[in-house]
Amino acid sequence: MFKPAHFVTAARATLAAGSLAVAVLTLGPFQGAEAIFGLNDKAAHAIAFGGLLAISFLAFPRMRRNDLTIAALVLGAGVEVAQIIAHRDGNISDWLADAAGILTIYGASMIETVRKMAREHGDLTFDQIAALDRRQPRRRPVVAFEPVETEVQTGVVLSFAERAARRFPAR
């Protein structure tokens, strides 16, 4: 019987194969190979990096989408730098095409999040919904410490534990 873990494993294998294919096609001597599929250079970049991001969402379900998106953007920039080093045509417009594909997939992935918010908390503001989120750590109120009298001023020598107890009172 299939389990979600099987899809994660398959997605990781697909991601590895896809990453290798993108690396070979972008850094190898295959400049202009996207024309075989009827694509121009920018469309090929957008599809390749958008596809890698979509597969990485499945391959790493415990990682945040924001982190994976940033990693994909950095990877796209790294590929453009590597193309320049490999004496290929690496430029900003190719990276912008990568970013367009990446942000398209990221935007589509956020649709379900907004749908869930609308179903469960449709009448609340986004700030109110964020306050209900149990995953968010609650910040403790900042406590201003009173200055501790020095030993010279009081003439009393305190132990380390006594000094610490004064500085960090029990809650």
Side-chain angles (χ1 to χ4, degrees):
M1 205 75 207
F2 281 119
K3 298 178 182 177
H6 293 118
F7 285 102
V8 170
T9 302
R12 288 181 180 171
T14 304
L15 182 63
S19 299
L20 182 63
V22 168
V24 167
L25 291 172
T26 57
L27 300 175
F30 305 108
Q31 202 158 7
E34 64 275 352
I36 296 170
F37 299 103
L39 299 172
N40 64 17
D41 182 46
K42 305 305 179 243
H45 275 267
I47 290 170
F49 282 88
L52 288 177
L53 182 64
I55 294 168
S56 70
F57 284 164
L58 282 174
F60 302 106
R62 292 189 177 157
M63 289 187 70
R64 296 181 337 170
R65 284 180 288 204
N66 295 348
D67 295 340
L68 292 170
T69 301
I70 291 169
L73 289 168
V74 170
L75 177 67
V79 165
E80 295 308 316
V81 170
Q83 282 182 341
I84 292 170
I85 293 170
H87 304 293
R88 296 265 320 253
D89 185 27
N91 53 38
I92 297 281
S93 62
D94 283 350
W95 182 76
L96 291 174
D98 298 344
I102 290 167
L103 294 177
T104 299
I105 296 300
Y106 177 74
S109 75
M110 294 303 292
I111 290 172
E112 187 55 34
T113 301
V114 174
R115 284 175 41 109
K116 181 180 177 189
M117 286 181 195
R119 271 194 317 268
E120 296 176 358
H121 309 290
D123 57 337
L124 300 178
T125 66
F126 285 111
D127 287 337
Q128 291 169 333
I129 293 170
L132 294 174
D133 191 0
R134 292 178 299 179
R135 296 174 299 169
Q136 300 294 327
R138 301 289 177 233
R139 292 190 177 183
R140 294 181 182 172
V142 177
V143 178
F145 296 110
E146 296 293 324
V148 178
E149 296 176 359
T150 62
E151 297 168 0
V152 174
Q153 293 171 339
T154 60
V156 178
V157 177
L158 299 175
S159 70
F160 175 79
E162 292 170 331
R163 289 193 317 262
R166 279 191 175 180
R167 182 164 293 247
F168 302 105
R171 292 183 183 221

